[in-house]
Amino acid sequence: MEKKQNELKPIGDLLPKLLKEYKLDIPLKIMKLKTEWAQVVGEKIASFSYVQHYNKSILYIGVLNSVWMQHLFIQKKSLIFKINDFLGGTFVYDLCFKRSGIKKNISSSTIQPVEEDKKMEYDSSIKDYVLSSQTIAKIKKDTETIISPLRRQWRNILVLQEKKKQVLLQEGKKTCPICGNWLENKEKICLLCQLKKRSEYKREIRQCLQLMPWLSLEEFVEQGHIPKGCENYIELYREVRRDCIYHYMEKIYLNVDTLEDNMMLALFITQSKPYEITDEFIERLTKKYHMRNNKNKKKR
């Protein structure tokens, strides 16, 4: 017996796909991340941190004190990987740690819509905008396969989105030339693409410094290592150098450092060339950090 082509599917099977298609799944994912934070990062980290909110690909995390804030900063890359793995996609491009002495209880009220979206939804110019009959017909056609309890809701969402789009175009707003998202005032590319560009610039700078960790900022510039199109290279150079130092310090903290790691840490800290430092100096330097970490572990 042949199955009907337009056979109705359970609403539970349709909702995840529809939420993802219309980008309504992100608030739900962040809510789930808040409630299952301990599962994602572990009980220890969850005991002194919590998810505050999410905005434009940046996840804001409250941390109980500055000591733990530094600890999380060292683990930023691995945390981003764990979070995106839990969310099921690359939603978080950066973490912003904020000192907060009180760990807040998580409730559904903690999800706040982006301020700009809130204003746009209630803007009278959007409500009063009249779409063409062709546009309305297209929306109806695109949603005709959705089951009836949801069809009207999705049509209303698409109508509202299209009204926003037309009003923004009339106001002279522009879209990002890379991804098509709406641009803020004076932006050349959207925040998401800016973050991607920033990551690309940092990767280029990191590759350079991993080969020549002794390069000062002046030498870095004079030798032409600035990534093409990078305007904030001073900030990124310093950030990458700091990240590299934290990376090798973290290896010492976890007791997985090698002789090569120890040498790289010494080169990054002193900005000396390999022939300018001795094995004894490297041993003394790393021994000092090993001793500090052993003391901190005993205190805990």
Side-chain angles (χ1 to χ4, degrees):
M1 190 173 179
E2 294 184 2
K3 291 185 178 180
K4 296 180 180 179
Q5 291 184 349
N6 295 327
E7 184 178 355
L8 295 180
K9 295 182 179 180
I11 189 169
D13 295 340
L14 289 172
L15 269 177
K17 182 179 178 181
L18 293 171
L19 289 171
K20 185 175 182 180
E21 183 178 351
Y22 298 113
K23 298 181 180 180
L24 298 173
D25 59 333
I26 297 179
L28 295 178
K29 287 178 180 289
I30 298 302
M31 187 64 223
K32 188 177 180 183
L33 176 65
K34 289 182 177 185
T35 57
E36 300 184 27
W37 182 237
Q39 178 186 330
V40 179
V41 299
E43 294 289 345
K44 184 176 181 181
I45 291 178
S47 66
F48 59 79
S49 67
Y50 64 95
V51 176
Q52 290 185 329
H53 63 278
Y54 171 88
N55 189 12
K56 297 182 178 179
S57 301
I58 300 175
L59 187 68
Y60 293 81
I61 299 175
V63 188
L64 298 187
N65 57 57
S66 57
V67 176
W68 288 117
M69 193 180 296
Q70 183 179 3
H71 180 70
L72 291 185
F73 185 85
I74 293 174
Q75 301 186 57
K76 181 189 278 191
K77 290 181 184 176
S78 62
L79 288 173
I80 292 175
F81 177 82
K82 289 178 181 178
I83 291 166
N84 281 325
D85 185 55
F86 175 80
L87 296 176
T90 310
F91 296 97
V92 176
Y93 282 85
D94 198 7
L95 299 177
C96 181
F97 302 111
K98 291 191 171 185
R99 184 172 178 179
S100 176
I102 302 175
K103 186 172 179 181
K104 298 180 179 179
N105 294 324
I106 304 303
S107 65
S108 59
S109 62
T110 57
I111 294 183
Q112 297 294 333
V114 179
E115 185 177 351
E116 180 183 352
D117 288 341
K118 200 188 294 184
K119 291 179 181 177
M120 297 297 290
E121 287 177 5
Y122 298 101
D123 190 278
S124 60
S125 60
I126 292 175
K127 286 184 177 182
D128 297 338
Y129 189 89
V130 179
L131 295 175
S132 66
S133 57
Q134 292 89 344
T135 302
I136 296 295
K138 185 178 184 304
I139 291 175
K140 287 183 178 180
K141 183 178 180 181
D142 292 342
T143 56
E144 62 185 7
T145 57
I146 299 176
I147 56 178
S148 56
L150 289 176
R151 188 184 303 131
R152 183 178 178 183
Q153 295 178 34
W154 292 124
R155 283 178 177 172
N156 289 340
I157 290 172
L158 292 179
V159 167
L160 179 60
Q161 288 179 342
E162 187 62 28
K163 284 185 175 184
K164 286 182 181 181
K165 177 182 175 181
Q166 296 303 325
V167 170
L168 287 171
L169 288 173
Q170 285 186 352
E171 292 177 353
K173 297 285 186 180
K174 297 181 180 179
T175 57
C176 176
I178 299 175
C179 68
N181 285 329
W182 292 104
L183 298 176
E184 299 289 344
N185 292 334
K186 299 181 180 180
E187 278 187 337
K188 294 180 180 179
I189 60 175
C190 71
L191 180 62
L192 181 61
C193 292
Q194 288 177 42
L195 292 171
K196 287 182 179 179
K197 278 284 185 185
R198 182 185 178 89
S199 297
E200 292 171 5
Y201 291 148
K202 287 181 67 175
R203 184 166 56 249
E204 286 188 46
I205 295 173
R206 185 177 294 106
Q207 289 173 349
C208 174
L209 292 183
Q210 287 288 354
L211 292 173
M212 297 176 285
W214 54 83
L215 282 183
S216 65
L217 176 60
E218 291 75 17
E219 292 170 330
F220 177 80
V221 175
E222 288 174 2
Q223 295 180 22
H225 297 298
I226 301 174
K228 185 177 180 181
C230 181
E231 298 178 355
N232 58 334
Y233 61 88
I234 296 176
E235 174 193 347
L236 295 184
Y237 166 88
R238 291 171 177 166
E239 187 175 325
V240 169
R241 176 171 287 281
R242 183 176 65 248
D243 287 348
C244 288
I245 291 173
Y246 280 139
H247 168 72
Y248 292 112
M249 287 179 64
E250 182 183 14
K251 286 197 166 189
I252 292 177
Y253 178 82
L254 298 173
N255 203 28
V256 293
D257 54 309
T258 64
L259 293 176
E260 183 182 352
D261 294 330
N262 296 339
M263 183 183 72
M264 290 296 289
L265 177 61
L267 294 176
F268 269 110
I269 289 177
T270 64
Q271 288 188 254
S272 301
K273 294 181 180 178
Y275 60 82
E276 294 176 331
I277 57 176
T278 64
D279 292 340
E280 291 76 17
F281 174 83
I282 296 173
E283 186 178 351
R284 287 198 306 271
L285 177 69
T286 53
K287 185 178 180 181
K288 179 175 67 174
Y289 286 110
H290 274 294
M291 290 175 63
R292 286 181 182 176
N293 288 325
N294 289 334
K295 286 181 181 179
N296 290 334
K297 288 178 182 178
K298 286 180 181 179
K299 288 179 181 179
R300 295 185 191 124

